[in-house]
Amino acid sequence: MDKMLDFRTVHEAKAGARWQALFEYHWPAYEQWYLSEGERERPGYLACYNALRRHMPELLPTYRALCDLAGGGDLAARFLSLFQPPPYITGCSQAVLASPSSTVLARNYDYPPELCEGTILYTHWNERRVIAMSDCLWGVLDGMNDRGLAVSLAFGGRKAVGEGFGAPIILRYLLEFCDSVPEAAEVLARVPTHMAYNITVADAAGRYVTAMIGPDRRASIRRVPVATNHQKKIEWYAHALASETLIRERQLSILVDDEATTEERLIAAFSAPPLFRHDYRRGLGTVYTAVYRPRSGRAQFHWPGMNLDLSFDDFPEERITVRYGTRGLHSR
């Protein structure tokens, strides 16, 4: 059976009525997810607030404003902190192609379409303008800011769960307050995460790193342009096999190591197997392809037969409906 997802572009510089409408639309599903293990499994409000204040204090004014727009309720405030959320598992492939004249960060997001928010959000909450694919209403799956920093996350392929934040809020923090890869790397080394993630960061100067982070070990931050769903070695064999993480990593590594690979060739590879996946029944199908060019401030989103081109200077608000099946059928 096919699955449907509406993607929306939403431009709201300061959080207000549009963000509030997004919250009201998505909150029933997020509330159910947040309580899926029982409310006692989630930390109390004070623990959430203090964790933000300790690790990402610059985010607190934005956090307070969003909590007010969400109605000021205890449960919503705890959820919006993204501190100790329920664990969740994604696929994803991401790669950077950097040259003296250009930087491109491209990625496929592999996840159950019905669980994806589908909001591409353009904000100016703090000093930097940000375009990002939203998750948990203000977290970031991938995105860029107007200072030339682009970010993307992938699940790290390990079962470890511990005390820390969901990666989407860490990526939001990077885009709101960092201008470069070295600044982002410092944040990724110190902010705790509740699960294993591979976070790839690139900037307009052509620098890039992939941070392999987790709750049970120090972050490994290396100048690696490619990430899929394992960290250094395979630890969760069933997930690695189902997600084909090694095959996808090898494909991307061959591409970025080949001096003949152009941006167009790299981006095209994300539209074909093994990077593009049709396994929607198991929640491992590709939901979208994102391409960020931090130097020019351009973001592109791709589905077979359809492209969406956005920038900080040209961000039309529209809705795209995507149908997912064994072969994607797409309509605007």
Side-chain angles (χ1 to χ4, degrees):
M1 184 176 177
D2 288 356
K3 300 176 180 182
M4 308 282 286
L5 175 60
D6 284 343
F7 286 87
R8 293 180 174 88
T9 53
V10 178
H11 186 182
E12 187 176 51
K14 300 301 178 185
R18 291 181 182 179
W19 186 90
Q20 189 174 50
L22 287 170
F23 175 85
E24 291 170 356
Y25 179 79
H26 290 292
W27 174 237
Y30 274 128
E31 181 180 25
Q32 184 178 7
W33 170 71
Y34 192 68
L35 297 176
S36 60
E37 298 178 318
E39 186 175 349
R40 287 187 176 184
E41 292 299 308
R42 306 279 69 83
Y45 170 74
L46 199 57
C48 295
Y49 184 89
N50 285 338
L52 274 175
R53 185 175 64 177
R54 178 181 177 186
H55 297 289
M56 297 181 280
E58 300 93 335
L59 269 184
L60 282 176
T62 304
Y63 170 70
R64 291 193 198 101
L66 296 182
C67 287
D68 288 345
L69 287 170
D74 173 77
L75 195 64
R78 290 155 66 189
F79 161 76
L80 288 170
S81 75
L82 267 72
F83 182 63
Q84 299 292 103
Y88 50 94
I89 297 166
T90 65
C92 309
S93 311
Q94 54 207 30
V96 176
L97 196 64
S99 71
S101 60
S102 177
T103 302
V104 171
L105 171 60
R107 70 97 107 254
N108 274 359
Y109 184 66
D110 301 343
Y111 200 59
E114 66 274 18
L115 300 180
C116 185
E117 193 174 305
T119 305
I120 303 167
L121 198 56
Y122 181 173
T123 57
H124 196 175
W125 290 340
N126 295 287
E127 293 180 9
R128 294 155 187 82
R129 293 178 293 166
V130 174
I131 294 173
M133 185 66 78
S134 177
D135 186 59
C136 296
L137 293 160
W138 71 309
V140 170
L141 297 175
D142 46 76
M144 67 178 179
N145 65 24
D146 63 355
R147 306 292 177 87
L149 187 71
V151 299
S152 177
L153 71 83
F155 174 57
R158 301 175 57 239
K159 293 183 178 181
V161 177
E163 185 170 311
F165 294 92
I169 198 171
I170 302 174
L171 268 65
R172 169 61 67 180
Y173 184 52
L174 297 179
L175 293 181
E176 294 291 332
F177 299 106
C178 296
D179 295 344
S180 67
V181 164
E183 291 177 14
E186 185 276 326
V187 169
L188 291 166
R190 67 172 177 80
V191 176
T193 176
H194 78 130
M195 288 184 70
Y197 297 98
N198 297 334
I199 298 175
T200 301
V201 187
D203 64 24
R207 293 170 292 204
Y208 57 84
V209 296
T210 292
M212 295 181 175
I213 62 176
D216 57 342
R217 59 179 64 163
R218 289 182 63 180
S220 170
I221 302 175
R222 299 184 297 160
R223 192 172 183 270
V224 174
V226 165
T228 52
N229 302 122
H230 59 281
Q231 296 184 332
K232 297 183 180 177
K233 64 178 183 178
I234 300 297
E235 296 186 39
W236 186 358
Y237 287 91
H239 182 271
L241 192 64
S243 67
E244 299 180 322
T245 180
L246 288 172
I247 296 169
R248 291 182 288 116
E249 181 190 49
R250 177 170 171 76
Q251 171 85 351
L252 286 173
S253 296
I254 290 170
L255 279 167
V256 299
D257 289 344
D258 185 350
E259 293 183 0
T261 297
T262 62
E263 293 178 5
E264 291 73 22
R265 182 183 173 196
L266 176 69
I267 295 165
F270 281 93
S271 298
L275 299 180
F276 193 98
R277 312 192 71 224
H278 293 282
D279 194 0
Y280 298 107
R281 283 190 295 179
R282 288 198 294 177
L284 291 169
T286 298
V287 180
Y288 65 88
T289 302
V291 179
Y292 295 97
R293 291 179 169 86
R295 182 171 292 194
S296 61
R298 291 176 58 210
Q300 295 173 306
F301 297 89
H302 300 277
W303 303 267
M306 187 187 310
N307 298 320
L308 184 60
D309 291 287
L310 304 168
S311 71
F312 290 109
D313 299 321
D314 184 16
F315 191 93
E317 292 193 280
E318 56 185 305
R319 186 177 77 174
I320 291 173
T321 301
V322 182
R323 181 183 291 112
Y324 300 91
T326 53
R327 288 283 174 249
L329 299 173
H330 310 283
S331 59
R332 186 174 292 269

